[in-house]
């Protein structure tokens, strides 16, 4: 086994690329990120580890813009993310230059995934240790999309997905509770999903909403706190309703 | 100077080039320029050697129902007419046309190449490329060959999601968006007819007649234009060839010969 996990370009006898799988492990250790697609918006939420007192929290934005109409959140190695994001931003502009039109979300996802794949098939390099959630609006049809890529270079579109720590539990929650939502409801759903694995509080979550008209908007801490309070209230009400005796005995 | 030879590749190279993955954006493959002491005059000579005067007349204009594209069909080599039946309107794909002016080989090759790129774009992105995008692709390629003697003066006409589109692209690297263009040695004459007769609200028949007449007038006055006046129409469902009339016949159509009254009639002399 040990012989097959050194160089990236070597398959193991049972068809594994160990380096890629180890990269996926790195992703599993990264902070949780969730994305939910609504009918008129897309929401990204990322777990924020408590910032050190002296750290300027504005310099550690985890949800970034790739273009006016495309945003990205990721889980895994943040330094790798920086490199990937820079390449993607350049590609977005390059597309605008060569074809005089903004690129679609699918195009840039395909580019990022292609880049991640290239690093699984070259000598002397290691794969990018991150999975990305890419959201945006199609410039032609105006419909919202959510895509996910992973270190192996595969990508697919999702209605809602999570990556990073405890992503399985978040995904389970989303599968049980997903329905077509819009506006504030989508934001609430994303935050509810994140709260399954993150300590509640505006300071532990970073949330951003992308709309067709206004692009990406990062939610303020106060806003997030307000929504969290709403969600807690709803949960409490649901608990109370369950415990209350039935109306007719 | 790095050349954009992506148009000449038929497949991506399988071997990764040295620093390809480790660093910068991968550059397109390039080749060395020829060694010469005085590169500027070498350039000038090269251009002069291949500089045809774009002996032709092509025109295109947008009107309310779409785009009308028309061209003559004469190819000339100096004073020698090498062909009267050249196809100067090139079908890039079922909804886009390109016109040929300048070097025939250059135009044909790069238009076909553009067709390939458009199809690849369609396959990769699951949507047709816009006329804007297609003309930009061609302009980028021609710009990277700037100064190397390509001679292309083309109009890309098509119908995409945003409606009718018309762009002028040339081998100097220029790219213009517009509603009326005429390219070639006969273009001044064609512009005269086209500009004075143009109305946005023409019907398809009126527009095709205007296009045909403009080409005819150009072939009448310009020695390097002639042959057949072809007229194509590009509408929401794609392009359609409307007519291809010999300009000689068109001349008599526009200028019918009225038989003159006879003063002295010649009668056969009776056999002796």
């Amino acid at each position: 086994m040990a012989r097959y996990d050194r160089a990236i370009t070597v398959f193991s006898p049972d068809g594994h690329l160990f380096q890629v799988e180890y990269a996926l492990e790195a992703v599993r250790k990264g902070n949780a990120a969730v994305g939910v697609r609504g009918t008129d918006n897309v929401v990204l939420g990322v777990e924020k580890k408590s910032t050190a007192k002296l750290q300027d929290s504005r310099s550690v934005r985890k949800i970034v813009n790739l273009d006016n109409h495309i945003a990205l959140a990721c889980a895994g190695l943040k330094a790798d993310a920086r490199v990937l994001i820079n390449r993607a931003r350049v590609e977005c502009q390059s597309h605008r230059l060569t074809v005089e039109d903004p690129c679609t979300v699918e195009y840039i996802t395909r580019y990022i995934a292609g880049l991640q794949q290239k690093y699984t098939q070259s000598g002397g390099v290691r794969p990018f240790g991150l999975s990305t959630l890419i959201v945006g609006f199609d410039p032609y049809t105006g419909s919202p999309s959510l895509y996910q890529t992973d270190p192996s270079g595969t990508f697919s579109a999702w209605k809602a997905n999570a990556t990073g720590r405890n992503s399985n539990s978040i995904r389970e929650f989303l599968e049980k509770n997903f329905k077509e939502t819009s506006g504030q409801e989508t934001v609430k759903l994303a935050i509810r999903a994140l709260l399954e694995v993150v300590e509640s509080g505006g300071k532990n979550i970073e949330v951003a909403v992308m709309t067709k008209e206004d692009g990406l908007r990062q939610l303020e801490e106060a806003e997030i706190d307000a929504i969290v309070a709403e969600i807690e209230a709803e949960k409490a009400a649901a608990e109370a309703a369950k415990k209350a005796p039935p109306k007719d005995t | 100077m790095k050349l954009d030879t992506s148009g000449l590749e038929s497949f991506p190279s399988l071997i990764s080039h040295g620093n390809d993955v480790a660093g910068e954006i991968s550059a397109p493959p390039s080749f060395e320029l020829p060694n010469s002491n005085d590169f500027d005059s070498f350039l000038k000579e090269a251009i002069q050697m291949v500089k045809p005067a774009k002996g032709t007349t092509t025109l295109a204009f947008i009107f309310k129902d779409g785009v009308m594209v028309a061209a003559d069909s004469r190819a000339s080599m100096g004073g020698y007419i090498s062909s009267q039946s050249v196809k100067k309107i090139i079908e890039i794909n079922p909804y886009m046309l390109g016109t040929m002016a300048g070097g025939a080989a250059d135009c044909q090759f790069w238009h076909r190449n553009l067709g390939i790129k458009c199809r690849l774009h369609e396959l990769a992105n699951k949507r047709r490329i816009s006329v804007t995008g297609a003309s930009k692709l061609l302009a980028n390629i021609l710009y990277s060959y700037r100064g190397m003697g390509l001679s292309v003066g083309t109009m890309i006409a098509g119908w995409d999601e945003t409606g009718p589109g018309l762009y002028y692209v040339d081998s100097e690297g220029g790219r213009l968006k517009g509603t009326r263009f005429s390219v070639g040695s006969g273009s001044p004459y064609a512009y005269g007819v086209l500009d004075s007769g143009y109305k946005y609200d023409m019907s398809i028949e009126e527009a095709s007649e205007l296009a045909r007449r403009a080409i005819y007038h150009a072939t009448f006055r310009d020695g390097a234009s002639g042959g057949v006046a072809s007229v194509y129409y590009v509408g929401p469902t794609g392009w359609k060839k409307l007519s291809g009339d010999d300009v000689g016949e068109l001349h008599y159509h526009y200028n019918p010969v009225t038989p003159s009254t006879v003063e002295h009639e010649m009668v056969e002399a009776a056999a002796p």
Side-chain angles (χ1 to χ4, degrees), chain A residues 102-248:
Chain A
C103 56
T104 56
V105 189
E106 202 252 341
Y107 177 89
I108 197 62
T109 307
R110 210 165 358 110
Y111 174 78
I112 292 177
L115 208 49
Q116 288 181 293
Q117 191 281 341
K118 219 194 283 204
Y119 280 69
T120 68
Q121 210 176 6
S122 311
V125 295
R126 62 163 176 80
F128 286 99
L130 68 145
S131 292
T132 68
L133 287 172
I134 301 167
V135 301
F137 281 84
D138 188 313
Y140 309 102
T141 61
S143 52
S145 341
L146 164 65
Y147 284 86
Q148 189 215 28
T149 73
D150 63 27
S152 62
T154 55
F155 72 94
S156 52
W158 293 76
K159 294 186 194 155
N161 200 0
T163 179
R165 235 168 14 165
N166 301 319
S167 56
N168 284 327
S169 6
I170 306 181
R171 210 172 299 120
E172 257 179 60
F173 174 85
L174 285 169
E175 278 176 19
K176 267 196 231 129
N177 296 286
F178 180 81
K179 52 186 196 301
E180 293 291 334
T181 50
S182 68
Q184 196 68 332
E185 283 305 307
T186 324
V187 182
K188 262 212 231 156
L189 181 56
I191 295 182
R192 268 168 62 208
L194 249 189
L195 287 178
E196 292 282 305
V197 301
V198 171
E199 291 163 33
S200 49
K203 48 186 181 12
N204 293 328
I205 308 179
E206 192 179 307
V207 181
V209 188
M210 162 139 322
T211 47
K212 188 147 78 108
E213 299 78 40
D214 306 319
L216 189 70
R217 186 175 72 89
Q218 308 266 10
L219 267 56
E220 305 273 319
E221 218 180 279
E223 247 184 293
I224 302 177
D225 277 329
I227 302 177
V228 170
E230 245 183 88
I231 294 174
E232 305 273 279
E234 278 171 13
K235 253 200 247 176
E239 286 293 318
K242 254 194 274 174
K243 289 214 185 97
K247 289 270 166 73
D248 36 35

Side-chain angles (χ1 to χ4, degrees), chain B residues 110 114 146:
Chain B
W110 288 110
L114 181 63
R146 189 175 139 87

